[in-house]
Every structure is written in structure tokens, then in C-alpha cells.
Amino acid sequence: MRPLQFKKRQSQIVDASGRPLEISMQAHEASGTGRRLSKFDAPNYGPNQAATTENAILRRRMRASIRNNPWMSRALNADVANEIGTGIVPRSKSSNKQFRKAIRELWNDWSPKADVTGILNAFGLQCQAARSRKESGEVFIRKIRVGGGFDIPVPIQFQVLEADFCPVELNTQASNGNDIVSGIEIDANGRRVAYWFYKKHPGELGSYGDLMRVPADQVIHHFIPLRPGQMRGKPQAVQSIVRAYLFDKYDDAELGRKETRAHYTGVIHRPDYGDEDYQYDPISGQPITEDENGVPQLELEPGTFPSLLPGEDIKIFDGDQGNSGYLEYQRQQLLAVAAGWDVPYELVTGDYGNINDRVWRAIMNQYRREVEQTQDLYTIQQICRVVWEEFVDAAVLSGAVEAPGYDTLRANYLRADHRAQAWAYIHPLQDAQAMTLMKNEGFESRQSIVAERGWDVEDVDEQRAEDADREKKLGLNQMRKANGKPT
């Protein structure tokens, strides 16, 4: 049986002279390859090639931008402050009440000693890791299991390592047959089994030594995998690097132009009296100075009104019109820089002149939703959860806390919520009234409201009970009754 054949029918469209017009058969304009889009470079990079091909220069330029560009530095500081604040706090949710209380107290004792260098506490490590992830695209945290002889409540500490320690250019095969992709060793199933690190930071002076293999269960790799299969991260605001650099150069040139322009107030026009007449100041009679180009300069004190010679005339420069529209241009460029960071323009620049409180609420609600997404999906999942589990394991195995049946009930003992610092109220009275209404109408529990504020409801209730006992002992309740106030 012969297969059916279909012929494609096309309508013939002609112009006014009867010549046929070509019709584009592309479904999307963005797929065009004509004159307008011929230079639209779109390389077909996979997730790892796209993330690592120019990673080294991207990191260098990002770090240089943050060191030197105030807008880039401000955006980074604001973003880290909103993501981490004073720390993302773990709260045990184990069904064992005694364990919850004991592990909470033990965490508070251990936190100041969480950093192997002794400089930061557990929350400082979070802040440093988040900042390094945004600046360099990723960060590594080594788990250091501490032996005896150290003054530490729980024998576990952590060390933050910059991304440079793991070379992205290392693509080879290990002696055991595993592939090493961008410095990460993976097995036949694609699981990470080890990381290859330099012994010293390659950016420091001196030899940084050979590579060392560190098992994957001793390393936390914190980054945001934007594409499936992506193994290394890239700096957060790569879209802002070029714009911030070029705008900073332009802004500096504008500042230099204004500085140079400020030296010139006006000119004196005079008839030609001869060369010797230009050698003397017509006001003071003193010899006239010349600039480096040999142009005569007349210096006047503020408030001076010159007395001119016959035929002379003064022309004062009519303001500086060279920066017309500069403020709006500056705002537009900083809007783009802020957009590259995913941080509101107002937080980057401190310019709140074009918004009101309603607009500000809308801006911050969207920004906070994005920050919470990063917190829950990446920071808590990759760092906070792992640190908590390592801490609890070490605490139980070392005998620092009692956990009956831990070998079979480990999952129960590891249950925890991780709460970031509460957002500041945009409108304190309205926000507090809204939360009270939600609780009274049954749409939200008091426990969830307290958790949103970054606290544990058990801690709050214990503090309230302590306050009530103290007030009762001091007779404050009786004083309230006498003054007609609720107790």
C-alpha cells in the first residue's frame, strides 16, 4: 500500500508591483537569525559548562566589584542581613520533652564554639557562608570531629572554605575509576563521594600544596543549583557586574568633569592692546599667572566686583548644563544593578523618595517571599539541617545529652524547625492587630505566630510564667488592681 503524501499549500502574497513577498515560517521571533539577531550569541552550554567555563574570572570581578563599588557592596550586605539576620535558629521538635529542653540548652552552650577557628559562633558561620555563596557562587563547610582535650561541650566543629579550594578545572578520572567533575568525585550512579581540595587557599602567597581527597560525608556544599545536574554555583549578581563597572566609571568621569569645571567662572573680553597689556591683572595690577597650557588666569576672591578698563567685558558661565538628566539616568542604572542582585532599589541606594508606605509594603512582601524561598530551599536544607543533625549525633554519642533508644528513634530526636530572625513590622500597630485577629478567628495558632517571630512558644511560655511569678512576689498584681489595670 502506498503511503499517503500531503502537499503543503502556501498562499502567494505580492506587493504593489506584483512581486512575491517572502513569509517567515518561524513560530517565534526570538528564534530568528537575520540581521537584527545575527549577533545574539546563545552558546549551547550544559549546566556544568555554563556554570564553570568562566567561573574564575566571574569570581574575581565580583569580588573586585564588592571591594570597590559601593552599590554592589551595599546590595550584598542588605541581602545577607535579610537572609540570615542574627541567625537561623534550630528548635527541637522531638516528642521527648526532657530531650528538647536539654538539647536547647546544650546548643546555646556549644554555639559560641562551633567555629574551628574560634572566631565565629554557629550563626556567624551561617552569615559567612551565605555571604560567600552570594559573592563566589558557592561555599564549602568542612565537618571537623573533635577529639578529647578540647574545651567544647559537643565534639564537633565546622570550617568555612571559599569556593577556590575546590578547583573547577579539575576534570579527570580518579584511581578508583570514579569521575572527577569540576573537583567533585562522583560514582557510577552520579552520587557525590568526595571533594578534592587544595591544602591552602590558591589565592594566597606561597605554594598551596597538592590536592587532598575529602569524603563527601565530611563536607557541606552550599550553592543554588539553577539547572538540573548543575554541580557548581556561580555568583549571584553576574548580571550586575558589567553595568556596575561601566556606570561607576561614568560616574567617576562625571565627578572629575564637575571638579574641573568648578575652577572656571567666566572670561574677560578685552580689545587688543598688545601683548604687554595681557601680562597684568586689570584689577590688582599684579602680573597674571598662566595655567599649564599658557592660558592667562584671573583669580578673584569671593564677593569681588571687578572694575573694568574701557572696552572690556565679563562673560559669566551660565551654570553647568552638561549633566542634564543625570539623576534620572543614575536612578535607571542603579535600578538595573539592584535587579541583578534581586534586592529592592531602595535597600541598595537608601533612596525612598518615590514611594509611600503602601508601595513599600508591596515591595518588601515580594522581596521577603524570595528571601524565604532561598532560606527554606537552600540555606536551611543544605546548612542548618546538616549542622543540626551533626550536632545532635555528636551530643548523643559523646554522652553530652541523654536520648533513650536513639539507635531506633534517631529520626524522632532529629526533628527540628529552623526559624530565621523575625521580619520587622512595616506598620507595627496594624500588623499586630492583624495577627491578633487571625488568632482569635481561628485562622492561625498562637504557636505559629510566635514561631513566625523567630521564637519557640515553649520559651515564650516559660518567660511569661517567670514574669507572672516575679510580679506576684513583688506585689505588682495588687498595684495593677489598685490602679484599675488588668492583671
Side-chain angles (χ1 to χ4, degrees):
M1 183 177 179
R2 295 178 60 188
L4 296 177
Q5 295 183 353
F6 297 92
K7 290 185 177 181
K8 187 175 181 181
R9 299 181 60 186
Q10 291 186 344
S11 300
Q12 187 75 4
I13 301 179
V14 297
D15 61 13
S17 62
R19 291 176 299 184
L21 294 177
E22 294 184 1
I23 303 175
S24 174
M25 302 303 295
Q26 292 171 322
H28 301 92
E29 182 182 1
S31 66
T33 56
R35 178 183 56 81
R36 291 176 60 206
L37 301 179
S38 60
K39 295 183 179 180
F40 192 159
D41 188 19
N44 187 24
Y45 284 164
N48 290 306
Q49 189 176 8
T52 60
T53 300
E54 300 101 8
N55 213 331
I57 191 169
L58 286 178
R59 286 180 191 156
R60 295 198 302 269
R61 287 179 174 175
M62 174 60 77
R63 290 167 181 165
S65 298
I66 291 170
R67 285 195 302 265
N68 298 289
N69 189 296
W71 312 117
M72 297 287 280
S73 175
R74 180 67 194 126
L76 175 62
N77 291 338
D79 207 27
V80 173
N82 278 277
E83 180 179 328
I84 303 299
T86 57
I88 300 177
V89 182
R91 297 293 179 184
S92 175
K93 292 299 178 181
S94 171
S95 60
N96 188 321
K97 185 175 181 180
Q98 290 75 21
F99 175 82
R100 290 201 307 268
K101 182 177 180 181
I103 201 69
R104 184 168 68 247
E105 293 176 353
L106 187 60
W107 171 274
N108 293 335
D109 293 337
W110 170 82
S111 175
K113 299 180 181 294
D115 182 9
V116 72
T117 66
I119 297 175
L120 302 172
N121 64 8
F123 305 123
L125 292 176
Q126 293 176 5
C127 184
Q128 190 177 69
R131 180 183 178 90
S132 186
R133 184 203 80 223
K134 295 173 186 294
E135 182 180 66
S136 304
E138 57 189 342
V139 68
F140 298 94
I141 305 175
R142 284 195 63 190
K143 309 169 188 176
I144 310 294
R145 295 176 175 90
V146 183
F150 290 88
D151 181 22
I152 181 172
V154 178
I156 183 70
Q157 290 180 308
F158 297 89
Q159 179 186 21
V160 179
L161 301 175
E162 277 199 321
D164 309 64
F165 274 88
C166 186
V168 295
E169 67 275 7
L170 182 61
N171 295 282
T172 185
Q173 190 174 58
S175 58
N176 57 11
N178 290 334
D179 289 330
I180 301 177
V181 181
S182 298
I184 303 173
E185 183 178 332
I186 57 177
D187 63 14
N189 295 317
R191 298 188 184 92
R192 301 181 180 216
V193 295
Y195 294 85
W196 290 82
F197 289 140
Y198 290 117
K199 295 181 180 179
K200 296 181 181 179
H201 194 296
E204 299 292 357
L205 296 176
S207 174
Y208 40 86
D210 298 328
L211 290 168
M212 58 183 292
R213 183 181 187 272
V214 180
D217 62 358
Q218 298 179 19
V219 178
I220 298 172
H221 184 195
H222 180 44
F223 74 113
I224 296 180
L226 299 175
R227 296 176 62 181
Q230 182 177 334
M231 299 186 66
R232 301 295 296 263
K234 64 178 183 179
Q236 175 172 324
V238 292
Q239 300 90 345
S240 295
I241 295 176
V242 174
R243 186 176 295 271
Y245 171 72
L246 295 177
F247 172 66
D248 194 46
K249 287 181 62 178
Y250 167 75
D251 196 47
D252 186 64
E254 178 65 23
L255 182 63
R257 187 189 68 80
K258 282 185 172 294
E259 181 184 17
T260 304
R261 173 66 181 77
H263 292 292
Y264 297 93
T265 303
V267 294
I268 296 179
H269 294 277
R270 63 178 65 176
D272 188 3
Y273 294 113
D275 293 341
E276 66 279 1
D277 294 312
Y278 290 99
Q279 299 175 3
Y280 300 95
D281 187 330
I283 299 174
S284 64
Q286 299 297 320
I288 292 179
T289 59
E290 296 181 348
D291 64 9
E292 64 275 9
N293 297 318
V295 179
Q297 304 292 307
L298 177 59
E299 297 182 1
L300 300 179
E301 294 293 332
T304 301
F305 193 87
S307 176
L308 303 179
L309 296 176
E312 291 184 335
D313 181 31
I314 288 183
K315 180 180 180 182
I316 305 298
F317 292 149
D318 185 18
D320 185 1
Q321 303 297 325
N323 63 342
S324 178
Y326 174 71
L327 293 179
E328 184 58 33
Y329 173 79
Q330 184 184 52
R331 173 181 166 80
Q332 194 66 29
Q333 300 311 306
L334 293 177
L335 278 168
V337 171
W341 272 104
D342 292 327
V343 176
Y345 162 86
E346 290 76 15
L347 292 182
V348 175
T349 64
D351 178 12
Y352 298 86
N354 295 326
I355 61 172
N356 53 37
D357 59 342
R358 291 177 180 271
V359 174
W360 179 239
R361 183 186 293 272
I363 291 172
M364 290 306 295
N365 283 344
Q366 175 62 28
Y367 176 56
R368 288 173 177 178
R369 181 179 292 274
E370 295 175 7
V371 170
E372 288 172 349
Q373 182 185 57
T374 301
Q375 290 172 337
D376 291 346
L377 301 185
Y378 307 111
T379 309
I380 292 175
Q381 170 66 16
Q382 295 176 358
I383 299 179
C384 302
R385 179 187 59 83
V386 179
V387 169
W388 172 256
E389 292 179 358
E390 290 288 335
F391 164 76
V392 174
D393 282 343
V396 173
L397 295 178
S398 66
V401 66
E402 293 185 2
Y406 189 76
D407 55 340
T408 58
L409 300 174
R410 180 174 180 267
N412 183 288
Y413 283 109
L414 291 180
R415 290 176 184 169
D417 278 345
H418 298 271
R419 294 289 179 177
Q421 184 181 12
W423 300 113
Y425 291 125
I426 295 177
H427 194 300
L429 180 59
Q430 291 180 359
D431 290 348
Q433 289 175 338
M435 286 192 296
T436 302
L437 180 62
M438 295 283 285
K439 179 181 72 69
N440 293 341
E441 294 297 327
F443 295 112
E444 199 164 359
S445 67
R446 177 174 160 272
Q447 180 175 341
S448 65
I449 292 175
V450 173
E452 288 178 1
R453 302 302 303 156
W455 297 97
D456 191 306
V457 70
E458 293 183 358
D459 289 342
V460 173
D461 289 343
E462 289 176 2
Q463 293 171 7
R464 293 180 66 198
E466 292 173 1
D467 289 343
D469 291 340
R470 184 169 58 254
E471 290 175 358
K472 184 177 181 181
K473 291 178 182 179
L474 297 176
L476 298 180
N477 288 342
Q478 299 302 321
M479 294 175 60
R480 283 199 180 91
K481 291 181 179 179
N483 294 328
K485 297 181 179 179
T487 59

